[in-house]
Amino acid sequence: MGGLGRPGVTAVKWSAVSTAARFALQLLAQVVLARTLGPEIFGVFAIGMVVLTFATFVSGFGFSWSLLQRTTLRDQDIRFAWTWQLLVGAMTMLALYLLAPLLAQYFREPRAQSVIEWLSLACLLTAAAAPATYLLQRDLNFRAVGLVQVGSYAAGYVAVGMPMALLGWGTSALVAAWLVQAAVQLVASYALKPHAVRPLFWYPDAASAVGTGRTVFFTNIVNWVLNNMDRVLIGRLLNAQALGLYNVAYNLATMPNTLLLGALQPAFLAAGARLQNERQRLGQAYFQMLATILVLAVPAFVFLAVISADLVRLLYGPLWSGAAWVLGTLFLSMPAYVIWGLSTPVLWNTGRKHHEFALQLPLVAVGALGFYFFAGQGIRFAASVAALLLVLRALVVGAAAFRALQLSWTGLLPQLARGLLLSTLAVAGALAGQELAGRFGQPLFSLMASTFITLVLLTSIVALRPQVLGEQAAAMVLRFVPGLAHLLRRASPAALVKTLGEQRP
């Protein structure tokens, strides 16, 4: 990407390939599991996952994160991170197992106790896998990272979870899938990136590693609260059925988003760490990413929001119809989620690692009040609060990143205008397709018609007026699909020449 050079672009390309494969596997597994198990069982498992994600942040603490941020790395750094990751992971696993009865009582769901007890094992597995995972990311070896992610998910959910669900194992199928995925990821990561495992409890630079870990820990806690307080209160104030509907809608809405961030954020963070003293190049890469999100991602998510009801009917069936409105609302806020996720590495790579935690702390109070007053009124109100909170987080963290890189927000206004124009066409195409297929009464026909008409509209305007993409988005597209150079030559001749020149040996 502009400013990151060829290694960064290669890393993102490998991330994108693995992202596409993981998206396909994840969608397949989630659809089969949701149709087989139903909202209530998913709600019980969601309680366990809310607790586990918090425990995972505690068990990780951030020791291995320092491996990614250090400009030079020694054997002692790795041994220290590994030792303490393992110890804290084991202690967190034990604490979560012992607290399982109280946590199930808080959620008023006795079935969640055994789920939490079994999932506590994942704390140790995830903590043990962290050093090798971050070392692979540090090397920009996203080919290996992607293979591990795809392989572990396939082993957990496709090979284990789906067959168990079809055989009637209920929540145990979801628990087993998660644990197998974590175990395979641990073994595969270490096999691809072996590292020293001899214990080291302290060394001269330990204070620096602990300081970084402490910052990561508190930042992760704030992010966990902001990302999960909706499900905590829905699980407490409503029931497992409502939580299951909400959680599946949330997961489906964030699935392309999480995978997109999973492809871009680690590569941007790792490559950006090498540009800590080159703010201009880092700023160019960051601005180009945001421009691409506004021009291309915003119309895509708007289109998904319009067709959300058809998506739910087709993928999950009538039992899940209550999730459609939630899904549409969350889709509209997903571009903000991507902007937030790409802004946080800027803060870390510009010496502002404490800012992500400090800036978002006031939003915890805002979100807590919003969910407390509205979550009990139903999942639609909770989804509205969650969407608004994502937008606020993007604005706060994004503004800090712009200040750090001395960029101007006004430069994004033309990109936003382009995105809104394309979004209008996406909405028109989706509604026209739904109207055309309405007589058939089948979600598949509606989705096919909406997608076809929308693609025709968008590709036509890009072919006739490629300038609608703008220089930044066109340059980004060319980096990954050079074959479109002839089509996009009128969008930005200067960017075209520069981009293709960078791609030559």
Side-chain angles (χ1 to χ4, degrees), residues 245 249 305 308-310 312-313 320-329 331 380:
L245 289 170
S308 57
D310 289 328
V312 170
R313 289 171 57 204
W320 294 88
S321 59
W325 196 93
V326 174
L327 179 63
T329 303
F331 267 141
R380 291 190 174 191

Side-chain angles (χ1 to χ4, degrees), residues 116-193:
I116 296 171
E117 289 172 346
W118 278 105
L119 286 177
S120 66
L121 291 169
C123 295
L124 181 60
L125 295 172
T126 304
T133 300
Y134 281 112
L135 288 172
L136 288 170
Q137 291 181 4
R138 178 186 176 85
D139 294 340
L140 293 179
N141 190 357
F142 285 89
R143 178 176 181 271
V145 172
L147 289 173
V148 170
Q149 291 175 340
V150 173
S152 61
Y153 190 89
Y157 280 88
V158 178
V160 175
M162 287 169 55
M164 286 183 66
L166 293 170
L167 290 173
W169 283 81
T171 0
S172 299
L174 298 172
V175 173
W178 190 270
L179 292 178
V180 170
Q181 179 187 19
V184 171
Q185 186 167 3
L186 167 60
V187 174
S189 298
Y190 185 78
L192 290 168
K193 189 66 178 180

Side-chain angles (χ1 to χ4, degrees), residues 222-243:
V222 169
N223 286 331
W224 178 87
V225 173
L226 290 170
N227 287 333
N228 291 277
M229 68 172 76
D230 49 354
R231 276 156 285 190
V232 169
L233 289 172
I234 289 172
R236 168 73 177 178
L237 300 174
L238 299 176
N239 52 46
Q241 174 90 2
L243 181 57

Side-chain angles (χ1 to χ4, degrees), residues 210-480:
V210 172
T212 299
R214 184 167 51 245
T215 302
V216 172
F217 172 75
F218 286 117
T219 301
N220 282 341
I221 294 301
V222 169
N223 286 331
W224 178 87
V225 173
L226 290 170
N227 287 333
N228 291 277
M229 68 172 76
D230 49 354
R231 276 156 285 190
V232 169
L233 289 172
I234 289 172
R236 168 73 177 178
L237 300 174
L238 299 176
N239 52 46
Q241 174 90 2
L243 181 57
L245 289 170
Y246 182 89
N247 200 56
V248 163
Y250 190 94
N251 288 340
L252 182 58
T254 57
M255 188 183 297
N257 213 34
T258 302
L259 295 177
L260 181 61
L261 278 180
L264 293 176
Q265 191 183 55
F268 188 39
L269 181 63
R274 305 181 182 188
L275 301 176
Q276 293 182 32
N277 297 320
E278 300 182 58
R279 297 288 176 88
Q280 184 176 1
R281 290 181 63 194
L282 186 61
Q284 290 172 356
Y286 175 65
F287 189 88
Q288 190 175 72
M289 284 183 172
L290 294 192
T292 306
I293 291 166
L294 292 176
V295 175
L296 300 180
V298 168
F301 280 111
V302 168
F303 172 76
L304 289 172
V306 177
I307 65 170
S308 57
D310 289 328
L311 273 177
V312 170
R313 289 171 57 204
L314 177 65
L315 295 177
Y316 300 120
L319 285 177
W320 294 88
S321 59
W325 196 93
V326 174
L327 179 63
T329 303
L330 293 174
F331 267 141
L332 292 176
S333 65
M334 287 301 106
Y337 195 179
V338 182
I339 291 172
W340 166 80
L342 291 177
S343 300
T344 55
V346 172
L347 300 182
W348 285 82
N349 286 327
T350 55
R352 293 166 170 78
K353 60 185 181 182
H354 298 89
H355 288 202
E356 183 184 354
F357 161 75
L359 291 171
Q360 293 188 108
L361 195 58
L363 298 181
V364 172
V366 174
L369 288 173
F371 286 121
Y372 179 79
F373 286 111
F374 294 106
Q377 299 184 37
I379 57 177
R380 291 190 174 191
F381 288 91
S384 300
V385 176
L388 178 60
L389 196 57
L390 283 174
V391 173
L392 291 176
R393 293 171 70 185
L395 290 174
V396 169
V397 178
F402 264 65
R403 285 195 298 270
L405 296 172
Q406 297 181 343
L407 298 174
S408 172
W409 276 96
T410 56
L412 286 179
L413 293 179
Q415 320 302 329
L416 178 60
R418 292 183 173 95
L420 292 177
L421 171 62
L422 295 176
S423 297
T424 302
L425 293 175
V427 171
L431 294 178
Q434 290 173 346
E435 181 67 24
L436 182 65
R439 68 187 68 180
F440 297 102
Q442 294 295 326
L444 178 59
F445 292 129
S446 180
L447 286 173
M448 291 174 62
S450 297
T451 303
F452 177 76
I453 295 175
T454 301
L455 286 176
V456 169
L457 285 174
L458 294 179
T459 53
S460 296
I461 191 172
V462 171
L464 294 172
R465 298 286 296 178
Q467 296 91 338
V468 73
L469 294 180
E471 179 178 326
Q472 300 294 337
M476 179 69 81
V477 171
L478 287 173
R479 288 181 180 276
F480 292 94

